[in-house]
Amino acid sequence: MGTAGAIEQLERVTHLQSNANATMVELQAGLADVRVLRSFFDSAEANFARRIAAGSSFPEKDVAEAAGGTLNDASRILERTRTLDAAPEMAAALDAGRISGSHVDVLSRAAKHLDDKLSVVLFDKVANLVDVAAVATVPDFAKRLRDEVSRILADDGVARLERQRRSTALSSWVDDEGMWRVSGKFDPVTGIRLAATLESAVETLFAEAESPTCPTDPIEKQKYLRALALSRLIERAGAVGLGNAADGAPPRTPGIGHGAASRSKSGRPEFVAVIDVSLNQAAGGRRPINHRSHDDPAHAAEPGTTGSNTNGANTNGARTDADSTPTSPACVTWPIPVEVPNDVLAELLGNDLKSEVSAVVIADGLVLHAPGRLDLGRATRLANRAQRRALRGLYSSCAIPGCRSSYDRCQLHHITWWRHGGRTDLGNLLPVCSHHHHKIHDDGWAIELGLQRALTLRLPDGQVMTTGPPTRTAA
């Protein structure tokens, strides 16, 4: 759609907004104009984002700042742009107002189910699908694309079960009501085994005394019991050490070489109490905390020691002196992603059979104390649970500025790369999401950690981004 056409439609919409006597037909025509204009602006947005990306080392950041959105919003815009580049017929239809940006997004999602070679086959079919998208709702168009993907995979000769096994996935999130939600899909063979195990657990629950919170509606009751059964199965698996590893130790195999003590610790939820003793800014500003590096023999911790010792030094290079006493009470937080009533939290924390509680003490971006071994040196490339626990006290999300990927979805990146001699020590580890981990390793992003873990990010185009000490309230 040309500029003149867009201006004409915008004038009609503006005039209609001020017309209190508009007829039903005129209002419906106005909504149609809005739909076309929205598509026009979606097309313009993709065009601008494409051009920004061509000259930017961090296009998500630049697009997010310009559009007033988040990095996730910018990633969606850039993904839409790449889809339009691969399917020019869709780009023309979007610009003409025949389809919406949401139609393009479902094409992007459909292509993710295919490898690069087969996604080209899907995009080649788009010319015949544009007319379908122009008259179909977004859900209907998504269904049509799923059918096309199935046909492409069948034509490729890939065994159906193998495709299904490759598509196995599980995700979890916290919804707007504070409920922990889980969604997964499994191949039929795995599904049969899981369903049989789950139904057996449900039958066991049926035989027990009915919970007062159980719904009376038969269908809702089945859903309720399945949820309880799944919870019980997972807890039972954890109780025998399934997939559990002690700090720095490999995962245990259930039932092999374990004492009762080790089994009783496995699978329990761990709560991290973050105790922030940062100095009070209101009382004359923050006084500096002295820092000592690991190479300073006067303040080096003994190998394998943890937390703070008698002279105040600790394993991540922080030191607290007598004159650095906080001027206000410490702030204690529980970084739990799900809202839990205080009385229930107290029950969980007070019952040794239900949970483990670990305290992480932080101040001005540094870990002053955390349980477990925090420095592993060159003994292993992989960070242990103690290191992840300690950094959870400082970070709630990816350390890259503006990224909202939660800490649980981050990897611990070596600032000095492992292949370059980097050590698996707390001071050399930084939580980053998989997207930004790729940027650092493959796209020339350079990061440095300064005092109090202040982050400096250098991009290939010369941009430099810096942050202060990490805070759990940061985005």
Side-chain angles (χ1 to χ4, degrees), residues 12 37 123 163 165 182 283 332 374 390 392-393 404 439:
R12 286 203 302 265
L37 285 170
F123 289 134
R163 294 199 312 269
R165 284 174 171 163
V182 61
V332 181
L374 303 183
R392 181 187 293 277
R404 297 178 183 271
K439 291 286 188 181

Side-chain angles (χ1 to χ4, degrees), residues 88-109:
E89 297 87 357
M90 292 287 282
L94 182 65
D95 184 66
R98 298 183 61 209
I99 63 173
S100 69
S102 296
H103 286 91
V104 181
D105 294 340
V106 297
L107 177 59
S108 300
R109 290 194 290 271

Side-chain angles (χ1 to χ4, degrees), residues 225-461:
L225 291 175
R226 285 194 185 98
L228 290 187
L230 178 61
S231 174
R232 180 173 294 187
L233 289 170
I234 293 173
E235 290 175 353
R236 186 179 301 160
V240 295
L242 188 61
N244 183 72
D247 295 349
R252 298 182 173 114
T253 302
I256 301 178
H258 293 54
S262 65
R263 287 198 299 270
S264 68
K265 290 188 65 177
S266 303
R268 296 186 298 176
E270 180 182 64
F271 295 93
V272 179
V274 180
I275 306 173
D276 189 348
V277 294
S278 299
L279 301 184
N280 189 355
Q281 298 184 64
R286 292 185 178 179
R287 291 179 299 212
I289 293 178
N290 295 326
H291 301 271
R292 303 291 185 266
S293 70
H294 292 288
D295 299 327
D296 186 344
H299 299 288
E302 293 296 324
T305 60
T306 62
S308 55
N309 58 26
T310 54
N311 71 1
N314 61 70
T315 57
N316 72 332
R319 175 182 170 86
T320 56
D321 295 324
D323 63 350
S324 296
T325 303
T327 58
S328 65
C331 174
V332 181
T333 60
W334 299 86
I336 302 173
V338 180
E339 184 178 350
V340 178
N342 288 337
D343 56 344
V344 176
L345 180 59
E347 179 187 352
L348 287 172
L349 300 178
N351 189 333
D352 290 339
L353 297 179
K354 289 185 178 179
S355 63
E356 299 177 47
V357 180
S358 301
V360 175
V361 183
I362 64 172
D364 298 297
L366 293 173
V367 176
L368 304 184
H369 167 83
R373 188 177 177 185
L374 303 183
D375 290 339
L376 304 178
R378 295 287 297 173
T380 177
R381 182 178 64 85
L382 299 178
N384 65 14
R385 192 175 75 173
Q387 292 169 321
R388 290 196 64 87
R389 179 198 301 127
L391 290 177
R392 181 187 293 277
L394 294 175
Y395 300 90
S396 61
S397 61
C398 173
I400 300 300
C403 183
R404 297 178 183 271
S405 294
S406 69
Y407 181 85
D408 287 330
R409 300 183 183 277
C410 289
Q411 302 165 278
L412 294 189
H413 166 73
H414 289 71
I415 300 296
T416 300
W417 293 9
W418 175 262
R419 73 181 70 161
H420 297 157
R423 298 167 62 86
T424 308
D425 293 343
L426 194 67
N428 192 44
L429 298 175
L430 187 74
V432 291
C433 65
S434 59
H435 173 71
H436 289 121
H437 203 208
H438 164 73
K439 291 286 188 181
I440 293 167
H441 279 277
D442 301 325
D443 289 352
W445 287 23
I447 56 177
E448 302 170 5
L449 276 184
L451 294 178
Q452 298 174 307
R453 298 187 71 89
L455 178 67
T456 300
L457 172 62
R458 303 181 188 279
L459 304 179
D461 61 2

Side-chain angles (χ1 to χ4, degrees), residues 201-236:
V202 169
E203 290 177 5
T204 301
L205 287 174
F206 258 118
E208 296 178 359
E210 188 171 289
S211 167
T213 58
C214 183
T216 56
D217 180 83
I219 295 177
E220 293 303 316
K221 181 176 181 178
Q222 279 288 332
K223 294 179 182 178
Y224 176 85
L225 291 175
R226 285 194 185 98
L228 290 187
L230 178 61
S231 174
R232 180 173 294 187
L233 289 170
I234 293 173
E235 290 175 353
R236 186 179 301 160

Side-chain angles (χ1 to χ4, degrees), residues 163-198:
R163 294 199 312 269
Q164 291 168 330
R165 284 174 171 163
R166 290 200 314 233
S167 297
T168 298
L170 187 73
S171 60
S172 65
W173 68 99
V174 178
D175 66 16
D176 293 337
E177 296 180 352
M179 297 288 285
W180 187 71
R181 303 283 294 273
V182 61
S183 175
K185 58 179 182 178
F186 304 88
D187 67 85
V189 176
T190 303
I192 290 172
R193 292 199 301 265
L194 291 176
T197 304
L198 193 59

